[in-house]
Amino acid sequence: MADPLIVSLSLDPTSQDRFDWQRRQHFPPGRTVIGAHVTLFHALPGGEVDAILADLVDVACAQKPFDVLVTEVISLGRGAAYRLRSQELAAVHAEMATRWRGWLTPQDRQPFRPHVTVQNKADPQMVAATLAALRAGFVPFSVRGLGLSVWRYVGGPWSPVVTVPFSAGAPGEVADAVGRGG
């Protein structure tokens, strides 16, 4: 049985670096095995990788890169995250959820609440301090969604499969990105 697949939003490098830095600062030591990410789907069937990649190419070919608003710092109970909002991101997620309806786990059938986790599995005092620090002077800002990344879940770490860039009107570029030719 193939390892499950995860789909995340690929962000612009500056924003990715910013979130990765904050994750390194706030995650409990030894608990982070992956960088910051915006998960769209948590566990798709690994044996369906070809169909999943074909769908991602279709979706990416129809979508230009877009801005995503980082609206607030939120509590995750035992962690902290940034809440995200984007009509384009919601539409991309809805399109893929429709295509993959039969493969979605109960977690992936939940309402889509995009966020970037910068702390998780921390004790309550650490969480309170992190929330206070992140909220101090927080002003909403935008990041750029550039594409969709597919990962294999390998028991903790994620192994990259491919990143499919958004490129409305340039399907050859997207197909080349996933090794399917033009």
Side-chain angles (χ1 to χ4, degrees):
M1 180 149 172
D3 293 320
L5 299 174
I6 300 161
V7 176
S8 66
L9 178 67
S10 173
L11 298 174
D12 68 274
T14 300
S15 299
Q16 185 66 51
D17 289 347
R18 175 184 184 171
F19 290 135
D20 283 342
W21 182 85
Q22 288 183 327
R23 191 171 171 94
R24 286 190 303 273
Q25 299 305 305
H26 298 292
F27 236 79
R31 294 265 174 122
T32 184
V33 295
I34 58 172
H37 52 278
V38 180
T39 304
L40 278 68
F41 297 93
H42 297 84
L44 295 169
E48 300 294 341
V49 66
D50 289 339
I52 288 166
L53 292 179
D55 286 342
L56 287 178
V57 168
D58 286 348
V59 171
C61 283
Q63 180 63 58
K64 292 180 182 177
F66 54 84
D67 288 334
V68 178
L69 184 61
V70 181
T71 61
E72 66 181 318
V73 176
I74 59 171
S75 172
L76 299 176
R78 293 190 59 207
Y82 289 101
R83 184 182 314 273
L84 307 178
R85 189 176 69 222
S86 164
Q87 290 180 344
E88 294 89 349
L89 180 58
V92 164
H93 180 270
E95 172 66 22
M96 291 186 301
T98 298
R99 290 174 184 235
W100 301 335
R101 183 181 351 232
W103 296 333
L104 299 183
T105 63
Q107 181 181 20
D108 285 332
R109 285 189 208 114
Q110 297 294 316
F112 183 50
R113 294 183 180 97
H115 62 279
V116 176
T117 301
V118 294
Q119 182 182 64
N120 204 4
K121 300 176 182 158
D123 66 63
Q125 288 128 344
M126 183 183 282
V127 173
T130 298
L131 288 169
L134 294 176
R135 287 174 174 159
F138 175 81
V139 175
F141 60 97
S142 290
V143 300
R144 192 94 171 134
L146 301 179
L148 300 167
S149 295
V150 180
W151 310 82
R152 283 204 184 272
Y153 178 77
V154 289
W158 296 3
S159 176
V161 174
V162 68
T163 295
V164 183
F166 294 134
S167 58
E173 291 176 28
V174 173
D176 289 344
V178 295
R180 297 185 176 283

